[in-house]
Amino acid sequence: MRMRRLPFAAVIVCAMLAPLPLSAAELLVGNKSADTVWRLSLKDGRRIGEFRTGDAPHEIAISPDGRTAVVTNYGSVKSGNTLSVLDLVGGRPTRHVDLGQHSAPHGLRFLSDGRRVVATTEASASVLVVDVEAGEVLKAIDVGDGTGHMLALSPDERFAYVTKIAAGTLSRIDLVAGTKTHERPAGKGAEGVAVRPDGAEVWVTNREDGTVTVHDPSTLAVRRRMSSKGFPIRVVFSADGTQAFVTNARAATLSVFNARSKLPVATVALSREGIEYEATMLGRAALPIGVVVAGDRPRAYVAISGGDRIAVIDTQRWQVIDYWVTGREPDALGIVAGARRGKD
């Protein structure tokens, strides 16, 4: 964790620059050391807006209608205990949801109703269900010893799957009953987690082991273990579920797997020669972390935290075709599609 002190944002802070037209698609980038979320045009990477957040924004979730984003404010010198709510259409000031005793929020997902989010809070070892509109914690579920870090949801949203880095485990949380049903070993440093879109598998990146494990969604039993060397830290699926993308933080690569055969498809180098990278938790390094895959174009986007850039990857040629400028220490990413629904 970074040890620094920056002025904490007020309860209400202004969104900067003009709201984006409803037809534009954009990439949201959480800048952990700048306490901001930038809005980049997916057309050319231009910065078209900025929001202030709380201290050290770590993860971003976007509502199904693309009108709202929520950010976990993890904290730096001390643990944060708020979520920032960003109005992506009207440009209204950032609003914060106070989580009370539940601090160090990290993993985050929107539910399909567009009103509630599910979040992990490391300091209270909990999974929360939060009503974003009301600004209220509806449910707090104990995840047991160790701290839940990242989370993913089953397609029916009945279950949350939570990784614990120190324990090296994967947990299954019943969001309706409010209980943990299973916890099983994954690998040392279990961190990234994603559910295949059809719900048939849960994938976990085990950073200390240099592996990716594939789990049964009901029992959490390990079905397959693949090598992904170099500190694998995040995993996401393509929209059609045919490919899985893994960022390897120490190796500064993106590994791509066939989600059916589990065989490697490509490895993309993400660091650049002659670049002086910033200090990171792994030394002065590129440190790729967050990754998202476009559903409407052959592109993947990776946050290069040590380089303050987004690597833009052509997923047909498996090449980096551009680097877009970000704020300091980008990590969390989210794609907002064009043509948002509804009116203000």
Side-chain angles (χ1 to χ4, degrees), residues 200-236:
E201 295 174 346
V202 183
W203 289 42
V204 175
T205 57
N206 307 297
R207 65 190 204 185
E208 302 296 339
D209 276 354
T211 63
V212 177
T213 44
V214 180
H215 298 256
D216 181 284
S218 297
T219 67
L220 305 190
V222 176
R223 292 176 173 174
R224 187 77 173 264
R225 189 179 301 269
M226 297 92 74
S227 175
S228 189
K229 298 298 185 183
F231 213 79
I233 198 166
R234 294 287 185 272
V235 57
V236 300

Side-chain angles (χ1 to χ4, degrees), residues 13 29 48 55 76 84 87 92 136 148 152 165 173-174 176 182 243 247 258 262 269 271 280 314 330:
V13 291
V29 182
I48 49 181
D55 189 15
S76 53
S84 290
D87 177 4
R92 286 184 288 269
E136 178 184 0
I165 296 174
I173 310 298
D174 187 324
V176 176
H182 298 76
Q243 294 175 329
T247 49
N258 182 303
K262 313 300 186 289
S271 62
T280 73
D314 184 318

Side-chain angles (χ1 to χ4, degrees), residues 285-315:
L287 190 67
I289 300 183
V291 54
V292 290
V293 183
D296 61 348
R297 66 195 74 191
R299 296 289 183 269
Y301 306 90
V302 178
I304 309 299
S305 292
D308 299 344
R309 295 291 189 276
I310 299 299
V312 182
I313 298 161
D314 184 318
T315 58

